[in-house]
Amino acid sequence: MRSEGLRQVRIGAQLLEIEYPEFWVILLCAAAWLALLSMRMMHGTYGIVCAMDGGMAGTSIPMRGVSSRAVALLEMMRMPALHWLIMIPAMMAPTLLSSMRVVAGRSLWSRRHRAMAVVLLGYAAPWIVFGLAVEALIAIAPTGIAPCLLAVSLLAAAVWQLVPLKQRSLVYCHREPILAPSGLRADWACLRYGLLLAGRCGTSCWALMITCAAAGHALWITVLITAVVWAERFRPGLPLRWSSAALCCAALLAWGAA
Amino acid sequence: MTPQAADGCTASIPERHQNQSPALMAETRRLAMRIRKDVWKLATDPQDKTLYWYSVAVKEMQSRLFNNPLSWKFQAAVHGYDASVYPPLRPNEKIPTAAIQKKYWDKCQHASWHFLPWHRIFVYLFEKMCRDAISAKGGPSDWALPYWDYSHPSNAVQRTLPTVFRSSSLPNGSANPLYAVRGAGVNTGGVVGSNTQTENTTCLKSKAFSGAFPNGFGGGQSKPMQFSHYTGSCENSPHNQMHDAIGGPTGWMDNPDAAALDPIFWLHHSNIDRLWVIWLKDPSHTLPPDAAWNKQKFDFFDATGSSKSFVANEVLQTTGPLCDYAYQDTTSPLAAQPAPAIKGLLGRFGAPAGSKKGTAAPASGKGPAGKGALEKLAAKAMNKAQIVGASKDSGIELKSDATSVAFQLHAPAPIAQVGRKALSLSESASEPQRVYLNLENVTAQDLPIHTYEVYVNVPKGSDPGKHPELMAGLIARFGLVKASKPDSTHGGQGLNLSFDVTDIVATLDKSGSWDPQNIRVTFAPHDLDEASTLAKEGRAVQDRQPVKIGRVSVSIQ
């Protein structure tokens, strides 16, 4: 009886994997959100708050061959960079589901998970580089501008929503891959497709993501930006001026709080 | 001929008939339906006035101004609008506001599962507008739009354009409202389209309504957009093919942004709608249960000129709740020839890894292993298609001579076995397998001068035209440029086409020449007559960008 139950569970899992090969991307997203919430509960806020609390001066740890300023920067960036790394799968993984499904459907059966993983790698790499650069810039920003950084970045994101290039980039997020069937050519094609997607999505969402970093990855702003990104992806008919207006309101709130 | 009404007639019955016998009730209900009739049967009946009244309605709609939603040009613009090819505005004529244009124009649904329901609503509303115009002119109250069934390989007359559409002027010297510029020979009584272009049996063999490689009868899943990515079998042939054949490279019919200006457009789509009715008569064919499909809303102006939303599930039958018509003939051309398929196809691709060929699934004796969701997933797994091979080089360019691409196939995964296990079915219960040739991301920046015939494994050095048994299908021009524009909602991805090549594989296998390690797909230009016609007229044909194919692949289901 028990073995029959186990058999059904095993077959059920196999069937789910056959029908929804992109299931692990959803799991990745869920795990990332759990991690974000856990970190929030354990560490509270940082980023601009950290800068406002005294900046680099209090965090420097001298190391041989490395300037104390660089060490301090690395130390300051540790948590924001970690948040950025987790934020990418949390916010962006669901927007990739349809692309992942297409990649799986266009790959040989035995290669479909590998193909999706390589696409994800290609997608994540530019976002990580971009995120580290943004976090570094925020970390070295003069403490005087920190209070208004969030409001300014929200306003910039609101303006970017209305730029035609943003709309065009959103359309290009739907591009389909042309994949070689096997071998290194297939891996390269997947990597190139991931990079292409990152380029399109980066052009579309760079301002929104900077806002998250500028807010020190505060939960409310992360949720707001996630809602905007997901709405754009899953409800393509929604006018971008609505999300632009919402971002403007958030900018006013942030300005008032600063 | 006795009209053959479609099943499931649900038209309202006049009160005076409600006490009649069931047989009489059924007859009354049938007669309450408007019957869309075969245009060539009407054309050969001197007593029939259906086409005369159609021309009256068309003339009336053509006389209305552009900003009137019931005008000819407005209705055509609902399908697609390109100012450069539309007739010029008349002196007192104004184009509708930008807001109206945005909401109602350029809304034709192609290359997706919305193709059939959207066009059914569109054509039905047009038919009602015609009815109202005909009634206002004193015509019959039971008028219905005819259909043009051009898929008769042996009946050449049936495949020519009905006579009343051909001449630019009427005997009294006035302009013929049913005339339009069309492809070479169409308006002079030539046979329209090759056998392959008019062929309608392949699409009727499609098992599923929707899908991706294969794309199903109705096209791939998509949000509503004018040109999405996955062209259904019915849309590819005969729909797209006949747009090409009727319009030629210069006529309205070959341009989605002008096609509905041609009065034959509506009879062509009436026939496509009829094919949907025929496909649905097969009890194994079902419509998607997805709300994203059957609850999708589309905005139109109705026959009273009022703005209204229509939902796809209102038109899943021609007999209600919205529509009230049936077709004169819905006999399936497949009736005499059941769809062939191949059993044990996996073996022809080499032994798949991990499969235990011939071993029966464990028989638990308890019936299906799961219920509900699990059963559905198992059924899906048993019908799951998988890619088994593809071309290595991306960006295959089609030229004015034959182009070939070769690749090998890989052993497929035995995914259907999992479904069979879940349902505790034996190996012998497996469905016969089918093979599909897929053309991924077909694009063209300029209207191609040719369509292309697609062949599988034509012997090297041999003329593909001499091997009709190896022809998988045709790449149509219709909509290709529009689907390839990078700034449009579809992102310029082009079209994904899928051809059922099971018969070809069976033919090759029978002759001993099926080799999964050596698949060669050849693209040969079609419609060379039109190319030479254009060249004679001095039109630029050399500078046009070639048709490109992202990838050629093979899938099995």
Side-chain angles (χ1 to χ4, degrees):
Chain A
M1 194 70 179
R2 193 177 165 205
S3 64
E4 178 61 19
L6 282 174
R7 178 179 163 271
Q8 286 200 17
V9 170
R10 189 167 50 82
I11 290 177
Q14 283 179 323
L15 290 172
L16 274 173
E17 190 270 334
I18 287 171
E19 187 57 27
Y20 304 105
E22 71 281 17
F23 73 96
W24 55 266
V25 180
I26 301 169
L27 294 181
L28 189 68
C29 171
W33 273 106
L34 272 177
L36 274 182
L37 290 171
S38 308
M39 288 170 73
R40 178 65 47 217
M41 287 162 72
M42 284 191 291
H43 299 288
T45 5
Y46 51 85
I48 56 169
V49 179
C50 189
M52 283 187 287
D53 285 348
M56 294 177 213
T59 55
S60 62
I61 303 165
M63 280 174 69
R64 188 190 297 267
V66 183
S67 74
S68 60
R69 193 173 173 79
V71 173
L73 179 64
L74 287 173
E75 181 61 24
M76 266 192 72
M77 279 182 58
R78 190 167 54 87
M79 284 303 289
L82 188 60
H83 264 78
W84 183 278
L85 289 180
I86 298 171
M87 191 179 73
I88 294 302
M91 294 173 71
M92 293 304 190
T95 67
L96 293 174
L97 284 176
S98 62
S99 299
M100 288 298 185
R101 203 170 167 75
V102 171
V103 167
R106 291 189 175 194
S107 298
L108 294 177
W109 197 264
S110 56
R111 287 187 58 97
R112 53 197 195 136
H113 292 296
R114 174 175 168 167
M116 286 188 288
V118 176
V119 170
L120 209 58
L121 191 70
Y123 180 83
W127 272 115
I128 291 170
V129 172
F130 175 71
L132 292 179
V134 168
E135 297 291 0
L137 283 173
I138 289 174
I140 60 171
T143 47
I145 69 159
C148 56
L149 196 57
L150 175 58
V152 170
S153 61
L154 277 165
L155 202 62
V159 172
W160 185 248
Q161 292 295 98
L162 304 176
V163 173
L165 179 59
K166 154 88 186 185
Q167 183 65 59
R168 281 206 296 276
S169 303
L170 266 180
V171 169
Y172 290 143
C173 287
H174 296 267
R175 285 195 83 85
E176 293 171 348
I178 293 170
L179 306 174
S182 58
L184 283 176
R185 280 172 110 157
D187 291 330
W188 170 236
C190 290
L191 191 68
R192 211 172 41 192
Y193 180 58
L195 290 167
L196 179 84
L197 282 179
R200 305 297 189 199
C201 294
T203 310
S204 170
C205 297
W206 64 270
L208 293 168
M209 299 305 268
I210 285 178
T211 303
C212 290
H217 301 276
L219 197 58
W220 72 274
I221 205 85
T222 307
V223 170
L224 171 73
I225 299 301
T226 303
V228 170
V229 170
W230 289 7
E232 283 173 357
R233 189 70 172 91
F234 301 118
R235 298 292 302 275
L238 282 180
L240 289 178
R241 58 179 182 274
W242 290 7
S243 53
S244 179
L247 291 166
C248 279
C249 291
L252 283 173
L253 280 174
W255 188 263
Chain B
M1 170 174 277
T2 307
Q4 180 188 340
D7 300 335
C9 184
T10 56
S12 59
I13 306 163
E15 224 172 85
R16 66 181 182 279
H17 297 304
Q18 288 189 357
N19 292 327
Q20 294 169 345
S21 70
L24 195 55
M25 287 274 283
E27 181 67 4
T28 308
R29 198 181 286 122
R30 189 180 63 77
L31 290 173
M33 284 286 122
R34 287 174 170 84
I35 305 295
R36 289 188 181 176
K37 295 176 183 169
D38 184 330
V39 70
W40 263 110
K41 292 194 171 80
L42 300 174
T44 50
D45 178 0
Q47 303 301 316
D48 192 277
K49 299 287 180 198
T50 305
L51 288 173
Y52 164 76
W53 286 112
Y54 181 50
S55 71
V56 168
V58 172
K59 190 175 179 183
E60 167 60 22
M61 289 178 74
Q62 287 173 345
S63 72
R64 294 170 186 161
L65 298 180
F66 205 166
N67 56 1
N68 180 346
L70 307 183
S71 71
W72 187 258
K73 283 195 286 189
F74 190 104
Q75 283 302 307
V78 170
H79 192 271
Y81 176 68
D82 177 351
S84 68
V85 291
Y86 263 57
L89 293 176
R90 285 170 280 186
N92 55 346
E93 200 169 37
K94 284 180 186 167
I95 199 160
T97 63
I100 294 279
Q101 290 183 37
K102 190 177 176 189
K103 188 169 180 185
Y104 299 101
W105 285 12
D106 293 318
K107 290 291 179 282
C108 62
Q109 301 294 307
H110 288 100
S112 88
W113 60 352
H114 300 302
F115 167 70
L116 288 163
W118 186 90
H119 280 86
R120 178 169 282 175
I121 300 168
F122 180 49
V123 174
Y124 177 69
L125 293 176
F126 168 81
E127 183 183 43
K128 282 191 82 172
M129 290 171 199
C130 287
R131 283 179 197 170
D132 292 347
I134 289 166
S135 291
K137 297 277 182 186
S141 59
D142 63 345
W143 185 88
L145 185 70
Y147 61 89
W148 179 21
D149 180 9
Y150 30 66
S151 304
H152 282 264
S154 57
N155 186 343
V157 173
Q158 186 89 20
R159 288 174 54 187
T160 61
L161 185 76
T163 322
V164 293
F165 290 84
R166 294 179 195 165
S167 174
S168 59
S169 59
L170 297 172
N172 64 9
S174 61
N176 179 7
L178 302 184
Y179 174 79
V181 172
R182 301 185 179 104
V186 175
N187 281 333
T188 52
V191 169
V192 183
S194 63
N195 281 353
T196 316
Q197 286 178 301
T198 56
E199 201 272 332
N200 66 3
T201 56
T202 304
C203 68
L204 293 170
K205 292 175 193 166
S206 298
K207 282 159 65 176
F209 183 84
S210 180
F213 306 140
N215 302 348
F217 180 76
Q221 294 189 14
S222 166
K223 292 186 170 70
M225 63 177 81
Q226 208 177 10
F227 274 87
S228 189
H229 304 319
Y230 293 89
T231 306
S233 59
C234 177
E235 185 180 349
N236 187 55
S237 184
H239 170 265
N240 286 355
Q241 305 297 342
M242 287 309 287
H243 269 283
D244 286 353
I246 299 167
T250 53
W252 278 329
M253 272 291 272
D254 211 13
N255 180 354
D257 290 336
L261 286 169
D262 187 335
I264 200 65
F265 168 94
W266 306 93
L267 280 72
H268 167 48
H269 268 278
S270 183
N271 188 48
I272 296 301
D273 188 66
R274 188 182 69 98
L275 287 177
W276 187 15
V277 173
I278 295 172
W279 184 83
L280 256 184
K281 280 176 69 181
D282 185 323
S284 70
H285 292 162
T286 55
L287 296 173
D290 312 57
W293 181 73
N294 60 34
K295 291 190 177 161
Q296 182 60 52
K297 284 182 182 174
F298 301 105
D299 293 325
F300 287 92
F301 279 102
D302 70 8
T304 65
S306 309
S307 169
K308 199 175 167 191
S309 289
F310 294 91
V311 185
N313 64 14
E314 291 180 83
V315 295
L316 301 186
Q317 295 207 5
T318 64
T319 51
L322 178 70
C323 306
D324 57 358
Y325 62 88
Y327 285 99
Q328 183 178 31
D329 187 354
T330 55
T331 310
S332 171
L334 290 176
Q337 40 162 316
I342 306 176
K343 277 224 171 198
L345 193 63
L346 287 181
R348 289 168 171 81
F349 288 83
S355 70
K356 293 174 185 168
K357 200 182 171 199
T359 54
S364 64
K366 293 178 184 175
K371 287 180 180 174
L374 196 65
E375 276 183 346
K376 282 181 191 165
L377 279 174
K380 279 186 177 178
M382 288 178 69
N383 283 312
K384 190 85 179 168
Q386 59 177 309
I387 297 284
V388 291
S391 58
K392 287 180 180 171
D393 299 313
S394 59
I396 303 153
E397 287 192 0
L398 305 189
K399 298 162 189 162
S400 52
D401 50 358
T403 308
S404 290
V405 58
F407 54 93
Q408 66 177 63
L409 302 184
H410 300 255
I415 49 177
Q417 279 185 6
V418 181
R420 284 199 295 275
K421 273 184 190 171
L423 297 173
S424 295
L425 296 174
S426 69
E427 189 84 7
S428 60
S430 62
E431 284 277 304
Q433 291 141 342
R434 303 196 71 78
V435 191
Y436 298 89
L437 178 73
N438 311 307
L439 309 182
E440 302 176 13
N441 302 106
V442 183
T443 56
Q445 298 307 317
D446 298 321
L447 186 69
I449 200 66
H450 309 296
T451 57
Y452 286 88
E453 294 168 349
V454 186
Y455 293 86
V456 179
N457 281 19
V458 171
K460 274 188 180 170
S462 190
D463 177 7
K466 291 180 178 164
H467 294 277
E469 78 283 5
L470 300 178
M471 185 155 82
L474 279 164
I475 301 174
R477 285 182 302 224
F478 182 75
L480 202 49
V481 175
K482 189 137 187 165
S484 308
K485 284 185 178 167
D487 57 345
S488 51
T489 44
H490 36 69
Q493 292 285 277
L495 299 174
N496 292 312
L497 309 175
S498 187
F499 304 108
D500 188 335
V501 292
T502 313
D503 294 356
I504 296 174
V505 174
T507 302
L508 290 167
D509 193 43
K510 202 173 173 184
S511 64
S513 50
W514 169 247
D515 177 9
Q517 298 302 310
N518 185 18
I519 303 299
R520 194 171 53 262
V521 179
T522 304
F523 303 93
H526 186 79
D527 286 349
L528 288 167
D529 289 348
E530 286 178 358
S532 55
T533 305
L534 283 180
K536 278 179 199 164
E537 290 175 7
R539 293 171 185 255
V541 294
Q542 303 303 330
D543 300 336
R544 297 194 184 192
Q545 296 289 314
V547 174
K548 288 183 182 172
I549 299 175
R551 188 176 83 158
V552 181
S553 65
V554 170
S555 55
I556 68 161
Q557 187 181 32

